[in-house]
């Protein structure tokens, strides 16, 4: 027998992905550098489907039907290059190496280019949803050559998560690194979503004065409306959880220093390179790093803050409703920024990415799955060349009706000294975009003054410079 697909790298992600393929009726060749893992997989889960255990790279490659589909699920970075170097010489033109790890898209572009010379199709494949997703159906974001998707796509469609309407959460995202790029932005958006939810929680706790249990109830209610999403759902679970050892709310016994693995940071680094303002995602990354500066925080604890002014019960209830509006409006802005980054990459790297299709494959299997994504798809369906999600009529109307509450929430947060970097950055972005005039005109004047950097005029074509050090007459530059 030959295997339709092979998985090398059988730690938690690879093992679960291999099992997912097998459970869906595919014969799966399995391989791992340390073969004990390979045997453990077959011993433990062999009855779930057809596995072919391969001890060596050669046996592994020999077990695969042609064109070969070889999924690499090893630690991102050097291990991925090591595995590619090991397998590439054993492959033939038309075979596929599919990297399902969390690779940086620039590495994926390089690997695709190198392997293309050998006629090997390299598919950088973003896989979201963690170990649970890998086993039961992830959201899958494959890039690489379009031809490879013709042969690989149907298998991925089978093992992927399905959205509520039954559509598989996978699509050919675009060439070379497009899949890993989109996965990266997905993670950046996830950071922003989590930060915004965190701010909503903090406001309900410190401004409304609610307990975690009560806030859990509020999140449960929100989860029945337009904020319906996996993250809101699990937030309610976490907030309702009580620590067994102390009887305190679980959230109160956890050290308040958030960690990160790096994909959020990449999203911001690349956005800086592309010149895309992803201020909400950036604030989310900064908020995590700020939380981790324990010494700095300890040294700052005595700094002056405002006097607390508790809300009455009815004021608190009204405030909670406003927070929902602020959260929703800020969420629209985060997604606007994330999709702008994908759109900018599309132009920069000449990728043909369907933004509506991207939002559709995030509807299941991944951390940011949400009813909201249907709205984004509808926006791009209505207008494929939408310049920004804020230009969509439906989103613009929703923000219009949320904005008074959004502003009120930020007034209250400021007055009570509760930090809301995510909500605030989102509102600043919104207000800056809709402003008739920005102080960038003054910036240009300053730049021309100290560096003769020149400026353009609102009333005439061309570049100009004012002779600041002389008679301040204007010259064409
Ligand atoms: P790890 O990232 O912990 O990697 C362990 C695997 O890499 C083992 O199979 C190990 O083999 C293999 N490996 C290493 Br390390 N160096 C190697 C080398 N030089 N040559 C060959 N194999 C090597 O596994 P994971 O947690 O299952 O994650 C796999 C990938 O999936 C990673 O890229 C990770 O970032 C990504 N991931 C994604 C999600 C998600 O939600 N999408 C979640 C978790 C992980 P050994 O057994 O011989 O040591």
């Amino acid at each position: 027998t030959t295997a339709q697909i092979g998985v090398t790298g059988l730690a938690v992600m690879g093992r679960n992905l291999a099992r997912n393929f097998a459970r869906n009726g595919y014969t799966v060749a399995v391989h791992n550098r340390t073969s004990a893992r390979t045997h453990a997989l077959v011993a433990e889960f062999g009855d779930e489907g057809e596995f072919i255990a391969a001890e060596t790279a050669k046996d592994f490659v020999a077990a695969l039907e042609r064109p070969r589909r070889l999924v690499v699920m090893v630690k991102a970075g050097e291990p991925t290059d090591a595995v590619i170097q090991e397998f590439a010489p054993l492959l033939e033109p038309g075979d596929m190496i599919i990297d399902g790890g969390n690779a940086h898209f620039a590495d994926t572009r390089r690997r695709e280019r190198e392997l293309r010379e050998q006629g090997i199709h390299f598919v950088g494949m973003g896989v979201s949803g963690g170990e649970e997703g890998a086993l039961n159906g992830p959201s899958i974001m494959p890039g690489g050559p379009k031809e490879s998707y013709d042969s690989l796509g149907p298998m991925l469609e089978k093992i992927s998560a399905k959205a509520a309407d039954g559509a598989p959460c996978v699509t050919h995202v675009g060439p070379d690194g497009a899949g890993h790029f989109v996965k990266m932005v997905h993670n950046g958006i996830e950071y922003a979503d989590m930060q915004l939810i965190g701010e909503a929680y903090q406001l309900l706790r410190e401004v409304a004065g609610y307990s975690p249990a009560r806030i859990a109830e509020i999140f449960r209610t929100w989860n029945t409306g337009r904020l319906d999403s996996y993250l809101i759902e699990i937030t309610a679970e976490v907030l309702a959880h009580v620590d067994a050892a102390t009887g305190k709310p679980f959230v109160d016994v956890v050290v308040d220093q958030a960690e990160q693995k790096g994909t959020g940071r990449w999203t911001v680094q690349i956005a800086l390179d592309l010149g895309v303002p992803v201020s909400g995602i950036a604030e989310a990354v900064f908020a995590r790093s700020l939380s981790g500066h324990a010494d700095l925080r300890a040294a700052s604890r005595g700094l002056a803050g405002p006097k607390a002014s508790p809300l009455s019960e009815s004021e608190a209830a009204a405030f909670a409703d406003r927070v929902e509006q602020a959260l929703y409006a800020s969420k629209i802005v985060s997604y606007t920024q994330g999709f702008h980054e994908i759109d900018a990459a599309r132009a920069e790297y000449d990728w043909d990415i369907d933004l509506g299709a991207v939002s559709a494959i995030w509807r299941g299997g991944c951390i940011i799955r949400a009813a909201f994504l249907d709205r984004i798809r509808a926006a791009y369906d209505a207008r494929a060349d939408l310049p920004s999600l804020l230009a969509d009529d439906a989103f613009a109307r929703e923000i219009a009706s949320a904005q008074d509450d959004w502003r009120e929430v930020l007034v209250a947060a400021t007055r009570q000294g509760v930090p809301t970097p995510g909500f605030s950055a989102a509102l600043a972005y919104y207000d800056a975009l809709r402003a008739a005039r920005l102080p960038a005109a003054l910036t240009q004047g300053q730049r021309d003054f100290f560096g003769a950097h020149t400026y353009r005029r609102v009333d005439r074509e061309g570049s100009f410079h004012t002779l600041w050090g002389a008679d301040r007459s204007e010259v064409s530059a």
Side-chain angles (χ1 to χ4, degrees):
T1 51
T2 52
Q4 287 123 316
I5 191 122
V7 179
T8 183
L10 300 175
V12 60
M13 289 297 287
R15 185 180 60 202
N16 282 356
L17 206 63
R19 290 172 61 197
N20 189 349
F21 278 115
R23 288 170 169 195
N24 277 287
Y26 296 109
T27 301
V28 189
V30 285
H31 172 267
N32 193 67
R33 177 178 62 178
T34 316
S35 56
R37 276 199 209 269
T38 315
H39 298 305
L41 164 60
V42 177
E44 223 174 313
F45 305 108
D47 58 353
E48 290 184 356
E50 297 289 330
F51 294 99
I52 300 175
E55 289 264 351
T56 66
K58 237 177 151 175
D59 290 348
F60 182 58
V61 168
L64 295 171
E65 72 173 29
R66 299 208 38 216
R68 300 184 179 89
R69 302 178 198 91
L70 193 162
V71 177
V72 180
M73 260 316 204
V74 300
K75 204 175 156 85
E78 276 172 31
T80 306
D81 283 314
V83 169
I84 290 171
Q85 270 160 33
E86 187 180 4
F87 284 100
L90 306 175
L91 299 179
E92 292 165 275
D95 287 351
M96 284 158 252
I97 296 180
I98 302 133
D99 175 18
N102 264 337
H104 192 288
F105 81 99
D107 286 336
T108 302
R109 282 168 62 77
R110 168 179 58 78
R111 291 168 183 147
E112 196 272 338
R113 201 180 328 112
E114 288 165 2
L115 289 165
R116 200 192 307 150
E117 287 165 18
Q118 261 182 268
I120 296 172
H121 296 252
F122 185 70
V123 176
M125 180 173 83
V127 179
S128 178
E131 29 183 305
E132 189 68 12
L135 183 61
N136 298 315
S139 170
I140 312 178
M141 293 152 256
K146 180 82 177 86
E147 309 95 272
S148 59
Y149 195 81
D150 296 338
S151 129
L152 183 64
M155 300 179 72
L156 298 180
E157 283 165 19
K158 212 148 182 201
I159 67 150
S160 72
K162 308 295 177 286
D165 63 5
C169 294
V170 57
T171 188
H172 179 247
V173 174
D176 60 83
H180 275 136
F181 190 97
V182 162
K183 169 62 166 54
M184 174 189 78
V185 174
H186 162 283
N187 285 34
I189 289 174
E190 172 188 316
Y191 273 55
D193 261 341
M194 290 171 69
Q195 174 64 22
L196 295 174
I197 291 172
E199 291 176 19
Y201 154 72
Q202 181 101 337
L203 288 163
L204 293 172
R205 190 96 195 249
E206 294 187 10
V207 178
Y210 289 161
S211 69
R214 177 132 188 216
I215 300 169
E217 284 309 315
I218 291 172
F219 275 97
R220 275 196 195 108
T221 311
W222 289 356
N223 201 39
T224 63
R226 60 189 180 172
L227 283 169
D228 172 5
S229 63
Y230 173 72
L231 278 170
I232 294 282
E233 179 191 328
I234 66 161
T235 301
E237 297 282 328
V238 173
L239 287 173
H241 184 55
V242 173
D243 176 51
T246 59
K248 289 183 183 168
F250 167 79
V251 72
D252 286 350
V253 301
V254 177
V255 172
D256 60 344
Q257 297 177 23
E259 295 173 8
Q260 47 186 319
K261 278 197 184 164
T263 37
R265 185 168 59 229
W266 287 351
T267 310
V268 179
Q269 284 170 335
I270 302 304
L272 291 172
D273 292 341
L274 291 170
V276 180
V278 293
S279 48
I281 299 170
E283 288 294 354
V285 174
F286 286 141
R288 288 199 195 185
S289 55
L290 187 148
S291 77
H293 282 284
D295 294 347
L296 191 59
R297 290 174 62 194
S300 310
R301 204 140 288 147
L303 295 175
K307 266 203 207 80
S309 46
L311 301 184
S312 70
E313 184 60 36
S314 66
E315 284 169 338
F319 181 73
D321 290 342
R322 290 200 183 101
V323 172
E324 193 270 346
Q325 299 276 358
L327 177 55
Y328 189 71
S330 302
K331 184 178 171 85
I332 294 174
V333 169
S334 307
Y335 281 72
T336 300
Q337 296 181 346
F339 276 88
H340 183 190
E341 183 162 351
I342 298 174
D343 200 24
R346 170 164 77 166
E348 174 74 19
Y349 301 110
D350 208 10
W351 288 335
D352 180 21
I353 299 180
D354 176 341
L355 299 178
V358 166
S359 67
I361 64 171
W362 290 344
R363 293 178 303 158
C366 65
I367 307 296
I368 65 171
R369 60 185 183 262
F372 180 71
L373 291 160
D374 275 323
R375 311 287 313 279
I376 296 185
R377 193 181 51 172
Y380 285 114
D381 279 351
R383 201 180 148 194
D385 67 341
L386 199 64
S388 153
L389 283 176
L390 292 177
D392 173 66
D393 288 341
F395 282 131
R397 267 198 308 276
E398 285 184 310
I399 293 204
S401 75
Q403 62 142 350
D404 285 342
D405 286 339
W406 193 10
R407 294 177 196 283
E408 284 304 321
V409 165
L410 289 175
V411 169
T414 307
R415 200 186 289 126
Q416 309 247 16
V418 177
T420 50
F423 283 11
S424 303
L427 183 59
Y429 177 90
Y430 176 75
D431 280 336
L433 279 186
R434 50 167 214 89
R437 293 281 295 161
L438 289 171
L442 177 58
T443 306
Q444 285 297 83
Q446 292 163 325
R447 294 178 69 248
D448 190 60
F449 190 104
F450 65 66
H453 292 301
T454 77
Y455 50 88
R456 288 177 294 130
R457 295 182 56 99
V458 296
D459 53 358
R460 265 183 287 146
E461 289 291 309
S463 289
F464 301 92
H465 170 56
T466 289
L467 301 170
W468 296 101
D471 64 353
R472 304 206 165 179
S473 59
E474 184 174 78
V475 295
S476 273

